[in-house]
Amino acid sequence: MEPASPPGRRLSLAGILPNMLTVGALCAGVTAIRFAVEGEFHAALLLILLAAIMDGLDGRLARLLRSESQIGAELDSLCDFVNFGVAPGLIIWLWALQDMRSAGWIAVLIYVVSCLLRLARFNIGNRAIDKGAEKSGFQGVPSPAGALLAFLPMFVAFALDKPQPFNDGLIALYLAFVGAMMIGRFRTPSFKKLSFQAEYVRYVFVGFAALVAALLAYPWATLVALDLVYASIVVVSLFRRAPKPADLEVEEDLPDGH
């Protein structure tokens, strides 16, 4: 039985704001499933992207406000499983794999269970890894990035303005492959440690503005390009040696989180 909170204890709005953001991300992910059931796949994908952005902000906001808590970490992990495991699997099933029946559903289950195992491994590592050790990467593909990679066939289809241009079997195999990448033992980079020379920061801002403009003008084509760039990074990571536990990042955020 969970112990009761001390009587008279008060929490500030700032203290619970990160958890509210986490719950908001969960609402977006679950609502994405509803839109997918109704055939509104564009809206479903946009809600998953919103959930990913909120997932990337909640941990940083908690650290900024110094309101980290154990319950916040558990909420974040559970919401990530729904938003980047269950929701993408169901959305892709509804979009392309229903005609395959059992074979398509097996691919969905492989992806969802892989996401579950990846988050479970992360939770164990988060308790075991020395917080003072150097943290420069992840083990396997993080779950938000895995979800975005899983959606690559949908991004391509929407960029081409075609309902479903791919073979169902290939999509099922690809989905299972992305799941395998999430539980892989290879190392993937953490972009939070990326730094720039001060004189080049203005170019970073210009590049970011160009990316935002591209997302607004050509959202699906831009997401395809981002997925391909990240996939190339993952391929390079596959040829690197297996990481030592002390080198693995213990925090996960979009696009290199959980």
Side-chain angles (χ1 to χ4, degrees), residues 219-249:
W220 308 119
T222 304
L223 289 169
V224 170
L226 291 175
D227 262 357
L228 293 178
V229 169
Y230 185 76
S232 300
I233 295 173
V234 170
V235 170
V236 172
S237 300
L238 285 170
F239 294 97
R240 294 182 178 179
R241 65 178 179 85
K244 297 179 180 180
D247 292 332
L248 297 178
E249 177 64 272

Side-chain angles (χ1 to χ4, degrees), residues 23 37 83 127 160 221 233:
V23 173
V37 170
N83 293 339
R127 299 184 184 99
L160 298 175
I233 295 173

Side-chain angles (χ1 to χ4, degrees), residues 2-193:
E2 186 177 349
S5 300
R9 182 186 178 194
R10 298 177 65 86
L11 294 173
S12 66
L13 179 61
I16 63 173
L17 189 59
N19 292 346
M20 293 172 65
L21 198 61
T22 301
V23 173
L26 175 65
C27 294
V30 174
T31 305
I33 298 175
R34 173 200 162 186
F35 277 109
V37 170
E38 296 174 352
E40 299 290 339
F41 293 107
H42 290 78
L45 289 187
L46 291 175
L47 283 170
I48 294 295
L49 292 173
L50 175 62
I53 293 172
M54 296 172 76
D55 174 72
L57 293 176
D58 58 3
R60 287 173 170 79
L61 185 61
R63 290 188 291 275
L64 180 64
L65 299 175
R66 297 182 179 179
S67 59
E68 302 101 319
S69 65
Q70 191 171 14
I71 190 173
E74 296 300 326
L75 281 174
D76 186 65
S77 183
L78 292 170
C79 291
D80 285 350
F81 175 59
V82 175
N83 293 339
F84 309 126
V86 176
L90 289 176
I91 291 171
I92 294 173
W93 160 261
L94 292 167
W95 179 67
L97 302 180
Q98 290 189 80
D99 291 340
M100 295 186 67
R101 298 187 180 276
S102 297
W105 189 246
I106 289 172
V108 171
L109 291 178
I110 290 173
Y111 173 82
V112 173
V113 172
S114 297
C115 183
L116 176 67
L117 292 174
R118 195 240 162 353
L119 290 169
R121 186 177 67 189
F122 163 73
N123 289 342
I124 293 173
N126 199 26
R127 299 184 184 99
I129 294 175
D130 179 13
K131 298 297 181 67
E134 180 183 2
K135 310 171 188 72
S136 58
F138 301 120
Q139 192 174 21
V141 174
S143 56
L148 295 182
L149 286 176
F151 285 133
L152 179 59
M154 298 184 71
F155 294 155
V156 173
F158 296 156
L160 298 175
D161 197 21
K162 294 184 177 180
Q164 211 293 67
F166 304 104
N167 178 271
D168 295 352
L170 289 178
I171 293 178
L173 289 174
Y174 175 73
L175 184 62
F177 175 75
V178 173
M181 292 296 98
M182 287 196 288
I183 59 174
R185 292 287 181 179
F186 59 93
R187 182 172 177 171
T188 55
S190 169
F191 298 109
K192 288 178 290 185
K193 301 297 181 180

